[in-house]
Amino acid sequence: MSLELLTLAEISIERNLEQFLIVLSVSLAVATISRVFIWFKQIPYTLLLVIVGLGLALVDIRLVNLSPELILEIFLPPLLFEAAWNIRWKDLKNNLTPIILLAVVGVIISVASVSFALSYFTTISLGTALLVGASLSASDPVSVIALFRELGTGKKLTTIMEGESLFNDGVAVVAFVLLVGIPLGNESISITESIVKFGTFVGVGIAVGFVIGFGISYLTQRFDLPLVEQSLTLVSAYGAYLITENLGGSGVIGVVTVGLILGNFGSRIGMNPRTRLSVSEFWEFLAFFVNSIVFLLIGDQIDFPVLLNSWKLILVAIVSLIGSRFVAVFLLCAISNLITKEKVSWQEQLILWWGGLRGSVSVALALSVPVILSDRQEVIGTVFGVVLFTLLVQGLTTKTFLQKLNLIGDQNVKQEYTELLARRTALNKVLAYMNGIPLSTMPEIEPDFYNYEKNLIQGQLNSIQEKIIDLQNFNPEFKNVSMQKLRDNLISIEADTYADLILSGELNENLSPMVQEIIAKQKGE
């Protein structure tokens, strides 16, 4: 390679690094401002990033070219893994019926409604309309979920919306892949063939996710190296995506499967509590980092002339998307309420309808439309316009909906109460440790220092106990939380004892149904 080519390569690398640092600096500055100034706290930081990106696009400052491969292969795996890692299987299982209905049937309703409306009321072909419908069928409620957690919205609503987003991303991507050849004349619509391909995409994704997820889960049992275990989760997220894609499956489904397995199984059998905490904090940071970049770039990539030229397409797509989402949510939740014990109230259904935002996945799918398609700019303009509407209009008004529907609950207070109980348990263990070791066995420890530390811990315990009593006085139902926690701890101790006896060979693995039930309760099955 000539010296001139090497110099050009170095300049290109330096320019890309400078662009990345600029994007990162702007993103983190906006995220910081949203937490510091009172007025900006009213706006979820992801939406604030989109607004800043729009401002940059308006004055024609382009930070970096946003390619679909960048989102799908670099940004999407960590976002999906972090969400799957943090969602509890017990919560997911309790709400699995509405989640699956919304993620699968809801996507079909969305694609069919949006594509039919566009092909009927505008001049674009049905094939192109199907691509728009598939692109817009992937929900991305990141900012809404953050709002739920900030306002203390109920766990059920958060689980349903987050679970739907996890699974329908995979379904939407698969639908897009199945439909992308139709406007090019390479494929025709075949229900039987589409079902077979869909089953293959999903099946390969689940299979690869299972192999990697359980493989790493059992591998981490062999050692206790927090940094290595943390790195393995990162490798598993990207590895599952790339391997599944190369095998002809859905990388999104593969990543979600791995995240669910490691978050609910691998982290419990192969990681100690401190490692689990450090891994969770690592993924929380990574998700914040990636979201900060993606949402800024979404706004920055808006091409206003294209939006203006596509105004009719955007209007039809918005109306059909909101209408089909309304029908899908209320119809599918009604079906779910008929066949399951967990009921979704009409207030929660309204939030599921209005909070179904579109974001990075929709943008990435639109940008991945082949360049040879004559209607490519119409697809991109329509999708960008609808994404902007959902983020800025629906996203900024969801808080008002929550307040009007009285869905802002006491979840934050419950979380505070639970944390106080956990701190009390931890400090009692510390105090028991100090009481169990006589000072005479540690002659190098000064008695004054020992007593000071002991009194300090006792003082913290007294303060925590006062706060617990105050919360119980204002919220008498919280006493049930303490009783349930005691019951769970007793079951956990009993189940752990049986597990130790099995490992030591004192108890046969062929357990009686009663013992199996106790262990299953401890696992949350």
Side-chain angles (χ1 to χ4, degrees), residues 28 258 322 343 400 515:
L28 296 181
V258 166
I322 292 177
K343 308 300 182 184
T400 303
V515 176

Side-chain angles (χ1 to χ4, degrees), residues 372-384:
I372 59 174
L373 182 66
S374 58
D375 293 332
R376 184 174 186 269
Q377 285 304 313
E378 283 78 3
V379 173
I380 293 174
T382 305
V383 171
F384 267 86

